[in-house]
Amino acid sequence: MISFKSVRFLSWSAFRWLFGFNLLTLLITGSVLRVFIYKNMNLDLSGNRDFLGHLDEFLVYSFWSLSFAAILFSFLFAWLFFSPLGVLIAKAKSIHKGSFSKKDSPVIKESRGEWYQLDLALNKISKDLKQRKADVAKERSELEAVITAANDAILAVDRDMNIRYYNAPMAHMFDQKDEGHWGKKLKEVIRNQTVLEAFSNALQNQAPQFIQVSQELAMDSSVHYFQVSVSPFFDEKKSKTRGAVAIFHDITEHKKIEKVRVDFVANASHELKTPLTSIQGFLSVIRDSCADKKELQESFEIVENNLERLNRLVVDLLELSKIDSLESANRENLNLKDITESILADLGQEIRSKGHKISCEYAVDEMRTSKDLIEHIMINLIENAVKYCPPGSQIKIKWLYDRGFTLFKVRDNGPGIESYHQRRIFERFYRIREGGDPSIGGTGLGLSIVRNSAQRLGGHVDVKSAPGLGSEFICYLPD
């Protein structure tokens, strides 16, 4: 005798097999019984047609009665077997809605069949999801605490550039009450086109963007300067960007200090230039008046050389201050071959006196850039190669294009530069003295002018060198 509880031990495959077996058994039994009676009864078929008719009728009624009983039994079995399904569906829906406190049903708990195994699996999933939700909430709380405590303004957007989150400094700068979610379009809050382009490029190119911008803020109605880094964040497979986050680092105070320094250097250089010119003039008069005193000529020559070096230093400082004070460079289309040949013509006497061989290669015909800044770069790099290379050296000048940058290269076969000098040669007043020719004068500002000019154009400069193998200076200039 099968009880209702024991039915739940049977699997769905057992139910289907049982129902099919009942029907098949009825069909086979009825057919075999009829054939057996027809073949084994010693009856005259013609005289017993009524009996056979009643027999067939009895078998048909029996078949349909037993079939109906099998159907009822199967439905009863199905009801008993699938009754826990509603409970499991309700539990799954509660888990989907985020409720993980659903109690176990006694109907399922009493059974040990497939539904019970499914219930155990749902319980495990619910437990894991509850723990994961708690971990995510904890990490989110910690992250929000860190972001809120940050001094820099932080802003996050989704892939459609809708604002998702911002912290207190960001809210303060844009005159908002509290940090949190705005849900607005980024362009409705930030009007700076450079910042909007940085977000757009970060999302499209899937690469960080670094910019420097100025912005007038409502909190004090003054212009602030920011270094902005915009970094995209991705989905789990890291195939698509889900949004981007930007950090606004306020460098206003640094800019003010830098301006004071630039103004001081510019003013000091201007103040020094006038007395230096006067000293040089009077020194020439005194030297001419003492032309008959040969013992003083060497002293006069030393003083003139130092005055000349000091004058070059003042000129370089003025040029460096002028470059530092530039807010933006005026750009124009320049023919690179013409400007290069013009500079080589200006340096022609020094080139011929040292017997250097200059070769030029132009893979780029022209570019749109600042004439003053590009001349600073070219003059200093070419002049350094001419000055510091031994007589008869090979100097190669190249204009190339590579991955969005126009490259200006100056390569020589001179003495080369040690690696520990390469890290510092672009610093102001840094000079390589060891093993150098003491007769070659320099201010230590030429490569600083090159670096600052390249940075003002949005590029940078690099050096490749080794002792005895010459040097190659490469300036990367964006289009």
Side-chain angles (χ1 to χ4, degrees):
M1 183 69 179
I2 300 177
S3 65
F4 287 164
K5 290 184 179 180
S6 62
V7 173
R8 297 193 185 99
F9 289 107
L10 298 176
S11 64
W12 167 241
S13 58
F15 161 71
R16 290 183 299 173
W17 177 85
L18 181 62
F19 180 73
F21 179 76
N22 288 337
L23 292 180
L24 185 62
T25 301
L26 288 173
L27 287 173
I28 293 174
T29 303
S31 301
V32 170
L33 181 61
R34 190 175 188 278
V35 171
F36 177 80
I37 292 174
Y38 269 78
K39 287 187 176 182
N40 292 281
M41 288 184 65
N42 295 321
L43 296 174
D44 183 9
L45 294 181
S46 59
N48 294 280
R49 291 185 183 276
D50 292 339
F51 172 77
L52 293 177
H54 288 301
L55 177 61
D56 287 340
E57 187 177 336
F58 171 76
L59 290 175
V60 170
Y61 285 148
S62 298
F63 172 77
W64 285 112
S65 299
L66 292 175
S67 297
F68 181 73
I71 292 172
L72 289 179
F73 174 77
S74 299
F75 274 110
L76 178 62
F77 179 91
W79 178 78
L80 292 173
F81 183 78
F82 289 106
S83 60
L85 184 59
V87 178
L88 294 176
I89 291 175
K91 178 177 284 191
K93 287 182 177 179
S94 67
I95 293 174
H96 176 70
K97 293 178 180 179
S99 176
F100 308 108
S101 58
K102 193 73 174 177
K103 296 182 179 180
D104 292 335
S105 170
V107 175
I108 300 175
K109 193 172 182 180
E110 291 175 359
S111 67
R112 291 295 184 269
E114 292 174 336
W115 296 130
Y116 180 71
Q117 297 299 322
L118 180 58
D119 185 54
L120 291 179
L122 284 176
N123 289 339
K124 187 176 185 306
I125 292 173
S126 176
K127 183 179 179 181
D128 293 343
L129 287 177
K130 185 177 181 180
Q131 183 61 43
R132 186 173 297 182
K133 184 178 180 180
D135 293 340
V136 170
K138 181 181 178 182
E139 291 178 2
R140 182 183 179 87
S141 177
E142 292 174 353
L143 181 60
E144 289 185 352
V146 171
I147 293 175
T148 303
N151 292 325
D152 293 332
I154 299 175
L155 173 66
V157 301
D158 60 20
R159 68 176 64 184
D160 296 321
M161 294 181 68
N162 298 315
I163 296 177
R164 294 182 57 184
Y165 182 81
Y166 62 95
N167 65 349
M170 193 76 192
H172 182 60
M173 284 194 300
F174 288 92
D175 197 25
Q176 300 294 317
K177 294 182 180 180
D178 298 304
E179 69 272 18
H181 300 271
W182 285 355
K184 300 179 181 177
K185 286 286 186 183
L186 181 64
K187 62 183 179 181
E188 295 179 9
V189 178
I190 296 180
R191 307 290 183 179
N192 193 302
Q193 188 62 31
T194 306
V195 176
L196 296 176
E197 289 177 357
F199 272 99
S200 178
N201 292 335
L203 292 170
Q204 292 178 5
N205 303 331
Q206 298 185 358
Q209 304 291 314
F210 303 95
I211 58 173
Q212 188 173 121
V213 296
S214 58
Q215 177 77 32
E216 183 176 350
L217 301 182
M219 60 182 183
D220 54 8
S221 300
S222 63
V223 176
H224 285 242
Y225 295 88
F226 297 96
Q227 280 184 342
V228 185
S229 61
V230 185
S231 301
F233 51 90
F234 304 89
D235 55 16
E236 294 180 356
K237 296 182 180 179
K238 295 186 177 181
S239 58
K240 293 183 180 179
T241 54
R242 294 178 53 234
V245 60
I247 300 177
F248 293 75
H249 180 58
D250 196 334
I251 57 171
T252 306
E253 292 300 320
H254 174 74
K255 279 285 186 181
K256 290 179 180 178
I257 295 172
E258 183 70 13
K259 188 176 186 307
V260 170
R261 182 189 65 79
V262 170
D263 291 345
F264 170 76
V265 173
N267 293 333
S269 301
H270 278 293
E271 293 298 326
L272 284 171
K273 190 170 180 61
T274 301
L276 279 175
T277 304
S278 300
I279 291 171
Q280 281 183 312
F282 284 112
L283 182 62
S284 297
V285 173
I286 295 173
R287 185 176 184 180
D288 291 341
S289 64
C290 299
D292 56 335
K293 297 180 180 181
K294 296 183 179 180
E295 66 276 7
L296 296 177
Q297 295 305 309
E298 184 178 352
S299 298
F300 280 123
E301 187 175 347
I302 293 173
V303 174
E304 283 184 342
N305 288 338
N306 282 281
L307 277 174
E308 181 63 29
R309 181 175 180 275
L310 189 57
N311 192 51
R312 291 198 306 269
L313 181 62
V314 170
V315 171
D316 284 348
L317 282 172
L318 284 171
E319 291 294 342
L320 199 54
S321 299
K322 182 180 177 181
I323 294 170
D324 289 341
S325 61
L326 281 176
E327 290 294 334
S328 60
N330 294 323
R331 298 175 183 264
E332 56 182 303
N333 292 324
L334 297 177
N335 186 292
L336 300 178
K337 184 176 181 180
D338 291 345
I339 194 171
T340 304
E341 291 182 350
S342 175
I343 291 172
L344 290 175
D346 294 339
L347 299 172
Q349 183 176 354
E350 190 174 355
I351 293 172
R352 288 189 295 271
S353 66
K354 299 195 71 171
H356 293 321
K357 296 180 180 179
I358 309 291
S359 64
C360 299
E361 180 182 330
Y362 304 95
V364 181
D365 295 326
E366 64 177 30
M367 69 178 296
R368 184 172 181 80
T369 186
S370 168
K371 183 178 180 180
D372 292 336
L373 294 178
I374 204 69
E375 283 182 344
H376 285 315
I377 294 171
M378 296 175 66
I379 290 172
N380 280 284
L381 290 182
I382 297 174
E383 190 176 33
N384 280 354
V386 172
K387 185 187 298 182
Y388 291 104
C389 285
S393 296
Q394 294 277 350
I395 299 175
K396 297 181 180 179
I397 299 171
K398 293 183 180 180
W399 285 98
L400 307 171
Y401 185 83
D402 183 33
R403 289 176 292 185
F405 284 93
T406 299
L407 275 58
F408 174 64
K409 294 185 177 183
V410 178
R411 175 157 182 86
D412 61 62
N413 58 353
I417 305 171
E418 294 281 357
S419 58
Y420 55 86
H421 288 306
Q422 294 178 29
R423 294 190 295 269
R424 300 192 59 192
I425 55 176
F426 295 104
E427 296 178 8
R428 300 185 184 194
F429 302 108
Y430 187 82
R431 297 180 64 196
I432 303 174
R433 301 183 183 276
E434 53 192 58
D437 188 348
S439 64
I440 300 176
T443 62
L445 292 174
L447 291 179
S448 294
I449 292 175
V450 172
R451 180 193 62 185
N452 286 25
S453 298
Q455 289 176 347
R456 280 291 178 270
L457 292 172
H460 62 280
V461 65
D462 195 11
V463 60
K464 297 179 180 179
S465 183
L469 299 177
S471 303
E472 183 180 40
F473 286 87
I474 308 170
C475 188
Y476 297 82
L477 304 170
D479 293 340

